[in-house]
Amino acid sequence: MVFAFLLAVLAGILTFLYLDRLRVLAVPSRVAVVARQEIRPGTLVDASMVEARPVPEGVLPTGALTSPAQAIGRVAAVPLVAGEILLSSRFTGGDEGLSSRLPDGRWALVLPSAWMATPLPALSAGDRLDLLGYLPGSPIDEAGVIVTAVEVLETFGDPSPGPGLALAVTLEQASAVAYARGNGFLILPLLRPRGG
């Protein structure tokens, strides 16, 4: 009786494995690199954070990494979630440039350091800023909010006078910044706390 039970369990396992193999072969798939865990912007990726998995070709985005070696040693430019298929453009130094890192419906706005009322704090890609307009010579309490929660794409330029910024903004946010600057306002950037 025990022997018959064990044979039935073995037959069930072998049937499952056979059917699972048929399912995998029936759906065309390719190997892609996925995040094993959440990865924050500015994080240096190591082997424990990524893995190669077969992914159905129908859901594989263009530019997907195909080997963990393509991600290891690179720095995440944007937040990555566990299970996300990794693209080269999601890392600093990606081949596809700044435009590939823009969130949907956003544009890149470049703010030179000369437009800033104060030096910038140390920023990383993915940080969020509120931008206030400050008219030189006016009391600081008259500074007004221009835009809120704009995402930093990257900093650039010579750090000695202060780096410039590339921000992801909507057209309305870009217009508000341009209007404030055109009317003589300096930009006062305020760094939001994580999750804020």
Side-chain angles (χ1 to χ4, degrees):
M1 188 70 146
V2 173
F3 183 68
F5 176 75
L6 291 175
L7 279 176
V9 169
L10 180 62
I13 291 172
L14 290 174
T15 302
F16 173 78
L17 292 174
Y18 174 74
L19 292 175
D20 188 54
R21 177 112 172 110
L22 284 178
R23 180 189 57 80
V24 168
L25 293 174
V27 178
S29 62
R30 291 195 350 225
V31 173
V33 179
V34 297
R36 284 186 176 165
Q37 64 190 47
E38 179 181 328
I39 301 172
R40 298 185 108 154
T43 302
L44 182 67
V45 176
D46 64 39
S48 68
M49 299 176 183
V50 296
E51 67 182 341
R53 287 187 196 160
V55 176
E57 284 184 5
V59 299
L60 195 62
T62 304
L65 301 181
T66 57
S67 166
Q70 294 173 308
I72 295 169
R74 296 181 72 184
V75 176
V78 295
L80 304 170
V81 296
E84 178 179 345
I85 296 172
L86 302 181
L87 308 174
S88 182
S89 60
R90 310 284 278 165
F91 298 93
T92 58
D95 304 342
E96 300 174 31
L98 184 60
S99 64
S100 65
R101 291 183 287 166
L102 284 169
D104 289 341
R106 301 292 170 98
W107 302 81
L109 172 69
V110 175
L111 291 180
S113 58
W115 289 17
M116 306 295 174
T118 62
L120 290 170
L123 297 172
S124 300
D127 282 341
R128 297 198 176 271
L129 298 173
D130 290 347
L131 301 180
L132 279 64
Y134 170 70
L135 194 58
S138 298
I140 194 68
D141 61 350
E142 291 181 11
V145 176
I146 302 171
V147 294
T148 60
V150 292
E151 182 181 341
V152 174
L153 295 171
E154 67 181 35
T155 60
F156 60 88
D158 184 1
S160 58
L165 287 177
L167 305 172
V169 296
T170 64
L171 287 176
E172 293 80 17
Q173 290 171 327
S175 296
V177 172
Y179 179 82
R181 184 63 188 146
N183 285 295
F185 286 83
L186 291 176
I187 307 300
L188 182 62
L190 300 176
L191 178 62
R192 285 182 161 234
R194 286 255 180 230

